[in-house]
């Protein structure tokens, strides 16, 4: 069995273990007409910034979001979920965007250690967190 097949097997086994434990809460995320239910493996990086250009009403921009939250889906696939919100103008307008994509093997290979070792560790820890 190759390394990716082993990783996929671990992902499926982790889903089975998490499904059998009612204390392990799932979350649902959706973007681009796709919905995924599963467990957060990695939180990604959050950001927030505000820029006031002048004291005039509506002359500001505030943005916040999260880049690259990693989710183990109930289907055993690994997904990346990002979202962004922004407020600006007068009257104030809010815009929202998000993206959700299934990660491929090449997305899961780390820069150090064995291939898939970073995500293997995250899956192994997920059961205990």
């Amino acid at each position: 069995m190759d390394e990716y097949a082993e990783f996929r097997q671990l992902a499926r086994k982790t889903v089975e273990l998490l499904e059998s434990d009612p204390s392990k809460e799932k979350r649902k995320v959706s973007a681009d007409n796709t919905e995924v239910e599963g467990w957060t493996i990695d939180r990604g990086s959050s950001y927030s910034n505000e820029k006031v250009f002048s004291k005039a009403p509506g002359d500001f921009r505030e943005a916040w979001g999260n880049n690259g939250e990693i989710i183990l889906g109930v289907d055993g696939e690994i997904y990346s979920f990002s979202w962004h919100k922004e407020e600006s103008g007068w009257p104030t307008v809010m815009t929202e965007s998000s993206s959700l994509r299934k990660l491929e093997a090449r997305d899961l290979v780390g820069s150090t250690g064995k291939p898939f070792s970073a995500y293997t560790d995250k899956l192994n820890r997920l059961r205990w967190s």
Side-chain angles (χ1 to χ4, degrees):
M1 184 179 304
D2 72 13
E3 292 158 322
Y4 186 58
E6 288 177 18
F7 176 76
R8 301 276 303 128
Q9 184 176 19
L10 173 63
R12 288 188 295 273
K13 180 155 179 72
T14 302
V15 167
E16 289 175 21
L17 291 168
L18 293 171
E19 289 276 38
S20 68
D21 185 349
S23 71
K24 300 297 182 189
E25 287 187 39
K26 293 180 245 181
R27 72 175 290 207
K28 284 185 182 177
V29 296
S30 61
D32 307 322
N33 297 319
T34 303
E35 184 175 88
V36 169
E37 184 176 24
W39 302 268
T40 300
I41 295 173
D42 196 355
R43 299 269 178 226
S45 58
S46 296
Y47 60 90
S48 175
N49 59 58
E50 182 176 354
K51 180 74 174 174
V52 177
F53 301 105
S54 75
K55 292 183 180 186
D59 203 8
F60 77 98
R61 178 184 167 271
E62 184 176 2
W64 64 97
N66 186 296
N67 289 323
E69 179 180 358
I70 306 300
I71 297 169
L72 170 63
V74 294
D75 59 0
E77 298 289 344
I78 309 293
Y79 296 87
S80 176
F81 176 64
S82 298
W83 60 271
H84 174 84
K85 292 185 181 184
E86 187 174 306
E87 270 187 344
S88 63
W90 184 260
T92 302
V93 174
M94 166 123 31
T95 58
E96 300 180 39
S97 63
S98 59
S99 69
L100 177 65
R101 69 180 185 95
K102 183 172 83 169
L103 297 178
E104 304 290 328
R106 68 177 172 265
D107 300 317
L108 300 168
V109 174
S111 58
T112 60
K114 292 184 175 186
F116 316 111
S117 62
Y119 284 98
T120 295
D121 289 345
K122 290 175 191 292
L123 286 177
N124 286 327
R125 285 185 179 88
L126 184 59
R127 296 184 353 216
W128 307 106
S129 59

